[in-house]
Short mmCIF file of all heavy atoms in Angstrom, two decimals:
data_model
loop_
_atom_site.label_atom_id
_atom_site.label_comp_id
_atom_site.label_asym_id
_atom_site.label_seq_id
_atom_site.Cartn_x
_atom_site.Cartn_y
_atom_site.Cartn_z
N ASN A 1 -21.40 7.55 -51.40
CA ASN A 1 -20.17 8.04 -51.82
C ASN A 1 -20.16 9.65 -51.59
O ASN A 1 -19.74 10.28 -52.55
CB ASN A 1 -19.83 7.66 -53.22
CG ASN A 1 -18.29 7.84 -53.64
OD1 ASN A 1 -17.54 7.90 -52.61
ND2 ASN A 1 -18.03 8.05 -54.81
N PHE A 2 -20.52 10.06 -50.47
CA PHE A 2 -20.71 11.46 -50.19
C PHE A 2 -19.36 12.18 -50.44
O PHE A 2 -18.28 11.65 -49.96
CB PHE A 2 -21.18 11.71 -48.82
CG PHE A 2 -21.53 13.19 -48.49
CD1 PHE A 2 -22.81 13.64 -48.80
CD2 PHE A 2 -20.57 14.02 -47.87
CE1 PHE A 2 -23.09 14.99 -48.43
CE2 PHE A 2 -20.82 15.21 -47.64
CZ PHE A 2 -22.15 15.79 -47.88
N PRO A 3 -19.29 13.35 -51.09
CA PRO A 3 -18.01 13.97 -51.50
C PRO A 3 -17.26 14.63 -50.30
O PRO A 3 -17.19 15.83 -50.27
CB PRO A 3 -18.39 14.93 -52.48
CG PRO A 3 -19.76 15.39 -52.11
CD PRO A 3 -20.45 14.12 -51.60
N LEU A 4 -16.80 13.83 -49.31
CA LEU A 4 -16.06 14.40 -48.26
C LEU A 4 -14.62 13.84 -48.24
O LEU A 4 -14.26 12.83 -48.87
CB LEU A 4 -16.69 14.02 -46.83
CG LEU A 4 -16.91 12.54 -46.52
CD1 LEU A 4 -15.65 11.98 -45.91
CD2 LEU A 4 -18.05 12.45 -45.49
N ASP A 5 -13.77 14.83 -47.80
CA ASP A 5 -12.35 14.42 -47.63
C ASP A 5 -11.94 13.86 -46.19
O ASP A 5 -11.07 13.03 -46.11
CB ASP A 5 -11.50 15.74 -47.99
CG ASP A 5 -11.73 16.17 -49.33
OD1 ASP A 5 -11.48 15.54 -50.31
OD2 ASP A 5 -12.20 17.29 -49.45
N GLU A 6 -12.72 14.41 -45.22
CA GLU A 6 -12.44 13.96 -43.80
C GLU A 6 -13.76 13.94 -43.09
O GLU A 6 -14.59 14.80 -43.19
CB GLU A 6 -11.48 14.97 -43.20
CG GLU A 6 -11.00 14.53 -41.80
CD GLU A 6 -10.02 15.43 -41.18
OE1 GLU A 6 -9.49 16.46 -41.85
OE2 GLU A 6 -9.73 15.28 -39.96
N LEU A 7 -13.82 12.84 -42.31
CA LEU A 7 -15.07 12.64 -41.44
C LEU A 7 -14.57 12.61 -39.96
O LEU A 7 -13.64 11.89 -39.59
CB LEU A 7 -15.74 11.36 -41.77
CG LEU A 7 -17.08 11.08 -40.96
CD1 LEU A 7 -18.07 12.14 -41.18
CD2 LEU A 7 -17.61 9.63 -41.39
N VAL A 8 -15.24 13.55 -39.12
CA VAL A 8 -14.88 13.54 -37.65
C VAL A 8 -16.07 13.14 -36.92
O VAL A 8 -17.20 13.56 -37.19
CB VAL A 8 -14.40 14.98 -37.30
CG1 VAL A 8 -13.95 15.00 -35.99
CG2 VAL A 8 -13.42 15.53 -38.24
N LEU A 9 -15.91 12.18 -35.99
CA LEU A 9 -16.96 11.69 -35.17
C LEU A 9 -16.95 12.37 -33.73
O LEU A 9 -15.90 12.38 -33.17
CB LEU A 9 -16.83 10.15 -35.11
CG LEU A 9 -16.74 9.37 -36.40
CD1 LEU A 9 -16.63 7.89 -36.18
CD2 LEU A 9 -17.81 9.70 -37.33
N PHE A 10 -18.12 12.72 -33.30
CA PHE A 10 -18.15 13.22 -31.91
C PHE A 10 -19.38 12.51 -31.12
O PHE A 10 -20.28 11.97 -31.74
CB PHE A 10 -18.65 14.68 -31.93
CG PHE A 10 -17.55 15.63 -32.47
CD1 PHE A 10 -17.48 16.02 -33.82
CD2 PHE A 10 -16.48 16.03 -31.64
CE1 PHE A 10 -16.52 16.92 -34.27
CE2 PHE A 10 -15.57 16.97 -32.07
CZ PHE A 10 -15.54 17.21 -33.47
N GLY A 11 -19.09 12.38 -29.84
CA GLY A 11 -20.09 11.66 -28.99
C GLY A 11 -19.93 12.12 -27.51
O GLY A 11 -19.10 13.12 -27.14
N SER A 12 -20.66 11.52 -26.69
CA SER A 12 -20.70 11.82 -25.26
C SER A 12 -19.37 11.23 -24.66
O SER A 12 -18.58 10.53 -25.26
CB SER A 12 -21.81 11.09 -24.61
OG SER A 12 -21.78 9.71 -24.69
N VAL A 13 -19.20 11.49 -23.32
CA VAL A 13 -18.15 11.02 -22.65
C VAL A 13 -17.99 9.45 -22.72
O VAL A 13 -17.05 8.87 -22.82
CB VAL A 13 -18.24 11.43 -21.10
CG1 VAL A 13 -17.00 10.86 -20.33
CG2 VAL A 13 -18.18 12.98 -20.93
N ARG A 14 -19.35 8.79 -22.60
CA ARG A 14 -19.30 7.39 -22.56
C ARG A 14 -18.93 6.95 -24.07
O ARG A 14 -18.34 5.80 -24.17
CB ARG A 14 -20.81 6.94 -22.44
CG ARG A 14 -21.35 7.07 -21.05
CD ARG A 14 -22.46 6.25 -20.82
NE ARG A 14 -23.40 6.34 -21.94
CZ ARG A 14 -24.43 7.34 -22.02
NH1 ARG A 14 -24.46 8.30 -21.09
NH2 ARG A 14 -25.28 7.33 -23.01
N SER A 15 -19.23 7.59 -25.08
CA SER A 15 -18.90 7.13 -26.41
C SER A 15 -17.42 7.41 -26.90
O SER A 15 -17.01 6.88 -27.76
CB SER A 15 -19.81 7.79 -27.49
OG SER A 15 -21.29 7.36 -27.09
N ALA A 16 -16.89 8.43 -26.22
CA ALA A 16 -15.66 8.88 -26.70
C ALA A 16 -14.58 7.74 -26.61
O ALA A 16 -14.60 7.00 -25.63
CB ALA A 16 -15.12 10.06 -25.79
N GLY A 17 -13.84 7.54 -27.61
CA GLY A 17 -12.77 6.46 -27.69
C GLY A 17 -13.36 5.25 -28.42
O GLY A 17 -12.61 4.43 -28.90
N ASN A 18 -14.70 5.20 -28.71
CA ASN A 18 -15.18 4.14 -29.59
C ASN A 18 -14.72 4.25 -30.89
O ASN A 18 -14.47 5.35 -31.41
CB ASN A 18 -16.78 4.10 -29.57
CG ASN A 18 -17.26 3.73 -28.24
OD1 ASN A 18 -16.62 3.19 -27.29
ND2 ASN A 18 -18.58 3.82 -28.07
N GLU A 19 -14.46 3.11 -31.60
CA GLU A 19 -14.00 3.17 -32.97
C GLU A 19 -15.16 2.58 -33.97
O GLU A 19 -15.84 1.67 -33.60
CB GLU A 19 -12.75 2.15 -33.11
CG GLU A 19 -11.47 2.77 -32.54
CD GLU A 19 -10.32 1.89 -32.73
OE1 GLU A 19 -10.44 0.85 -33.33
OE2 GLU A 19 -9.13 2.31 -32.42
N TYR A 20 -15.23 3.28 -35.16
CA TYR A 20 -16.16 2.91 -36.14
C TYR A 20 -15.42 2.90 -37.44
O TYR A 20 -14.50 3.69 -37.72
CB TYR A 20 -17.45 3.84 -36.10
CG TYR A 20 -18.25 3.76 -34.92
CD1 TYR A 20 -18.11 4.71 -33.92
CD2 TYR A 20 -19.11 2.69 -34.67
CE1 TYR A 20 -18.82 4.58 -32.79
CE2 TYR A 20 -19.82 2.52 -33.58
CZ TYR A 20 -19.67 3.54 -32.60
OH TYR A 20 -20.41 3.42 -31.41
N GLU A 21 -15.82 1.99 -38.26
CA GLU A 21 -15.14 1.89 -39.68
C GLU A 21 -15.87 2.78 -40.62
O GLU A 21 -17.14 2.76 -40.69
CB GLU A 21 -15.08 0.47 -40.12
CG GLU A 21 -14.18 0.28 -41.35
CD GLU A 21 -13.85 -1.16 -41.65
OE1 GLU A 21 -13.38 -1.87 -40.69
OE2 GLU A 21 -14.20 -1.64 -42.75
N PHE A 22 -15.10 3.38 -41.40
CA PHE A 22 -15.78 4.24 -42.64
C PHE A 22 -14.75 4.28 -43.65
O PHE A 22 -13.54 4.68 -43.56
CB PHE A 22 -15.99 5.74 -42.14
CG PHE A 22 -16.59 6.56 -43.14
CD1 PHE A 22 -17.91 6.42 -43.53
CD2 PHE A 22 -15.87 7.54 -43.82
CE1 PHE A 22 -18.56 7.19 -44.62
CE2 PHE A 22 -16.47 8.24 -44.84
CZ PHE A 22 -17.69 8.09 -45.18
N ARG A 23 -15.16 3.78 -44.89
CA ARG A 23 -14.36 3.62 -46.10
C ARG A 23 -13.05 2.87 -45.79
O ARG A 23 -11.93 3.29 -46.28
CB ARG A 23 -14.17 5.06 -46.69
CG ARG A 23 -15.40 5.61 -47.27
CD ARG A 23 -15.13 7.10 -47.79
NE ARG A 23 -16.30 7.63 -48.37
CZ ARG A 23 -16.36 8.90 -48.79
NH1 ARG A 23 -15.33 9.75 -48.77
NH2 ARG A 23 -17.48 9.33 -49.24
N GLY A 24 -13.15 1.87 -45.03
CA GLY A 24 -12.02 0.95 -44.71
C GLY A 24 -11.09 1.50 -43.66
O GLY A 24 -10.00 0.81 -43.39
N LYS A 25 -11.45 2.55 -43.12
CA LYS A 25 -10.49 3.12 -42.05
C LYS A 25 -11.27 3.18 -40.67
O LYS A 25 -12.39 3.33 -40.66
CB LYS A 25 -10.05 4.59 -42.38
CG LYS A 25 -9.06 4.61 -43.66
CD LYS A 25 -8.71 6.03 -43.97
CE LYS A 25 -7.85 6.18 -45.20
NZ LYS A 25 -7.45 7.49 -45.42
N LYS A 26 -10.51 3.09 -39.59
CA LYS A 26 -11.00 3.16 -38.28
C LYS A 26 -10.98 4.57 -37.85
O LYS A 26 -9.99 5.31 -37.93
CB LYS A 26 -10.18 2.25 -37.24
CG LYS A 26 -10.28 0.80 -37.57
CD LYS A 26 -11.59 0.13 -37.02
CE LYS A 26 -11.48 -1.36 -37.16
NZ LYS A 26 -12.72 -1.85 -36.75
N LEU A 27 -12.19 5.05 -37.36
CA LEU A 27 -12.36 6.45 -36.85
C LEU A 27 -12.61 6.35 -35.45
O LEU A 27 -13.48 5.61 -35.08
CB LEU A 27 -13.40 7.20 -37.64
CG LEU A 27 -13.25 7.37 -39.10
CD1 LEU A 27 -14.30 8.21 -39.70
CD2 LEU A 27 -11.94 8.00 -39.50
N VAL A 28 -11.94 7.28 -34.62
CA VAL A 28 -12.17 7.28 -33.19
C VAL A 28 -13.12 8.45 -32.84
O VAL A 28 -12.96 9.60 -33.25
CB VAL A 28 -10.85 7.43 -32.45
CG1 VAL A 28 -11.06 7.40 -30.90
CG2 VAL A 28 -9.99 6.32 -32.76
N VAL A 29 -14.14 8.10 -31.98
CA VAL A 29 -15.04 9.16 -31.56
C VAL A 29 -14.36 10.16 -30.61
O VAL A 29 -13.83 9.61 -29.59
CB VAL A 29 -16.29 8.44 -30.86
CG1 VAL A 29 -17.31 9.58 -30.43
CG2 VAL A 29 -16.96 7.65 -31.90
N LYS A 30 -14.45 11.41 -30.85
CA LYS A 30 -13.89 12.46 -29.96
C LYS A 30 -15.14 12.91 -29.05
O LYS A 30 -16.23 12.89 -29.30
CB LYS A 30 -13.51 13.63 -30.75
CG LYS A 30 -12.38 13.37 -31.76
CD LYS A 30 -12.05 14.53 -32.56
CE LYS A 30 -11.47 15.77 -31.76
NZ LYS A 30 -10.99 16.86 -32.61
N GLU A 31 -14.79 13.30 -27.77
CA GLU A 31 -15.77 13.83 -26.92
C GLU A 31 -16.26 15.27 -27.37
O GLU A 31 -15.45 16.05 -27.72
CB GLU A 31 -15.14 13.97 -25.57
CG GLU A 31 -16.20 14.46 -24.47
CD GLU A 31 -15.47 14.62 -23.06
OE1 GLU A 31 -14.41 14.09 -22.81
OE2 GLU A 31 -16.18 15.26 -22.30
N LEU A 32 -17.51 15.32 -27.39
CA LEU A 32 -18.10 16.68 -27.78
C LEU A 32 -17.86 17.59 -26.64
O LEU A 32 -18.30 17.36 -25.48
CB LEU A 32 -19.53 16.45 -28.06
CG LEU A 32 -20.42 17.74 -28.50
CD1 LEU A 32 -19.90 18.30 -29.78
CD2 LEU A 32 -21.88 17.41 -28.46
N LYS A 33 -17.20 18.78 -26.91
CA LYS A 33 -16.89 19.72 -25.88
C LYS A 33 -17.01 21.16 -26.54
O LYS A 33 -16.97 21.33 -27.75
CB LYS A 33 -15.40 19.51 -25.32
CG LYS A 33 -15.22 18.17 -24.62
CD LYS A 33 -13.79 18.08 -24.00
CE LYS A 33 -12.73 18.04 -25.06
NZ LYS A 33 -11.40 17.71 -24.43
N HIS A 34 -17.19 22.07 -25.63
CA HIS A 34 -17.16 23.49 -26.17
C HIS A 34 -15.71 23.90 -26.45
O HIS A 34 -14.83 23.58 -25.67
CB HIS A 34 -17.80 24.48 -25.05
CG HIS A 34 -19.14 24.18 -24.78
ND1 HIS A 34 -20.22 24.52 -25.75
CD2 HIS A 34 -19.82 23.79 -23.80
CE1 HIS A 34 -21.35 24.25 -25.32
NE2 HIS A 34 -21.18 23.81 -24.14
N GLY A 35 -15.47 24.58 -27.46
CA GLY A 35 -14.10 24.87 -27.91
C GLY A 35 -14.24 25.18 -29.39
O GLY A 35 -15.16 25.66 -30.03
N ASP A 36 -13.06 24.82 -30.07
CA ASP A 36 -12.91 25.14 -31.52
C ASP A 36 -12.78 23.92 -32.38
O ASP A 36 -12.18 23.91 -33.38
CB ASP A 36 -11.65 26.05 -31.71
CG ASP A 36 -11.87 27.45 -31.08
OD1 ASP A 36 -13.00 27.92 -31.16
OD2 ASP A 36 -10.85 27.97 -30.48
N ASP A 37 -13.27 22.81 -31.86
CA ASP A 37 -13.21 21.51 -32.61
C ASP A 37 -13.92 21.60 -33.98
O ASP A 37 -13.67 20.78 -34.85
CB ASP A 37 -13.72 20.28 -31.82
CG ASP A 37 -12.81 19.87 -30.67
OD1 ASP A 37 -11.57 20.24 -30.88
OD2 ASP A 37 -13.16 19.18 -29.85
N PHE A 38 -14.86 22.55 -34.13
CA PHE A 38 -15.52 22.69 -35.41
C PHE A 38 -15.07 23.65 -36.29
O PHE A 38 -15.72 24.04 -37.26
CB PHE A 38 -17.08 22.76 -35.13
CG PHE A 38 -17.76 21.62 -34.47
CD1 PHE A 38 -17.63 21.42 -33.02
CD2 PHE A 38 -18.40 20.68 -35.23
CE1 PHE A 38 -18.29 20.34 -32.54
CE2 PHE A 38 -19.01 19.61 -34.71
CZ PHE A 38 -18.97 19.32 -33.26
N LYS A 39 -13.92 24.23 -36.06
CA LYS A 39 -13.38 25.39 -36.77
C LYS A 39 -13.32 25.11 -38.30
O LYS A 39 -13.53 25.94 -39.10
CB LYS A 39 -11.93 25.78 -36.27
CG LYS A 39 -11.42 27.00 -36.75
CD LYS A 39 -10.15 27.55 -36.05
CE LYS A 39 -9.65 28.79 -36.54
NZ LYS A 39 -8.40 29.20 -35.82
N ASP A 40 -12.86 23.93 -38.71
CA ASP A 40 -12.55 23.57 -40.05
C ASP A 40 -13.77 22.80 -40.64
O ASP A 40 -13.61 22.18 -41.82
CB ASP A 40 -11.31 22.83 -40.22
CG ASP A 40 -10.10 23.74 -39.78
OD1 ASP A 40 -10.22 25.01 -40.09
OD2 ASP A 40 -9.24 23.17 -39.19
N ILE A 41 -14.86 22.49 -39.84
CA ILE A 41 -15.97 21.60 -40.26
C ILE A 41 -16.88 22.40 -41.26
O ILE A 41 -17.19 23.58 -41.03
CB ILE A 41 -16.74 21.13 -39.06
CG1 ILE A 41 -15.94 20.31 -38.18
CG2 ILE A 41 -17.97 20.34 -39.56
CD1 ILE A 41 -15.44 18.88 -38.75
N ASP A 42 -17.28 21.86 -42.33
CA ASP A 42 -18.14 22.44 -43.35
C ASP A 42 -19.62 22.02 -42.98
O ASP A 42 -20.44 22.95 -43.01
CB ASP A 42 -17.91 21.98 -44.82
CG ASP A 42 -16.46 22.43 -45.19
OD1 ASP A 42 -16.25 23.62 -45.40
OD2 ASP A 42 -15.52 21.49 -45.36
N ILE A 43 -19.81 20.83 -42.68
CA ILE A 43 -21.17 20.42 -42.43
C ILE A 43 -21.19 19.49 -41.22
O ILE A 43 -20.44 18.55 -41.11
CB ILE A 43 -21.80 19.53 -43.64
CG1 ILE A 43 -21.96 20.50 -44.84
CG2 ILE A 43 -23.14 18.91 -43.29
CD1 ILE A 43 -22.28 19.73 -46.12
N ALA A 44 -22.06 19.77 -40.27
CA ALA A 44 -22.18 18.91 -39.04
C ALA A 44 -23.55 18.15 -39.04
O ALA A 44 -24.49 18.97 -39.03
CB ALA A 44 -21.99 19.70 -37.77
N LEU A 45 -23.57 16.87 -39.11
CA LEU A 45 -24.85 16.13 -39.01
C LEU A 45 -25.08 15.76 -37.56
O LEU A 45 -24.31 14.97 -37.00
CB LEU A 45 -24.69 14.85 -39.92
CG LEU A 45 -24.37 15.12 -41.42
CD1 LEU A 45 -24.06 13.77 -42.09
CD2 LEU A 45 -25.54 15.82 -42.07
N THR A 46 -26.08 16.35 -36.93
CA THR A 46 -26.19 16.06 -35.46
C THR A 46 -27.47 15.28 -35.13
O THR A 46 -28.50 15.53 -35.66
CB THR A 46 -26.28 17.43 -34.86
OG1 THR A 46 -27.30 18.19 -35.31
CG2 THR A 46 -24.97 18.23 -34.98
#
């Protein structure tokens, strides 16, 4: 029950678009790219 409000999933081109369930919700994997996708991220588990 980790105290997070939002979880964002990143992966390779192959993995992008895959869906995984977390706390009853479907989350879609985003493609890992250089840019500002981590602007509001507090902790990144890599």
Side-chain angles (χ1 to χ4, degrees):
N1 196 25
F2 189 87
L4 61 84
D5 299 299
E6 186 177 352
L7 181 63
V8 186
L9 308 182
F10 291 94
S12 64
V13 178
R14 286 195 320 273
S15 301
N18 288 351
E19 288 187 351
Y20 296 101
E21 190 169 307
F22 181 74
R23 293 180 179 172
K25 294 181 181 178
K26 295 283 188 184
L27 301 180
V28 180
V29 177
K30 298 175 66 173
E31 183 185 344
L32 180 65
K33 295 185 290 190
H34 293 293
D36 293 321
D37 283 344
F38 290 85
K39 189 173 183 180
D40 299 319
I41 299 294
D42 296 292
I43 296 169
L45 303 168
T46 61

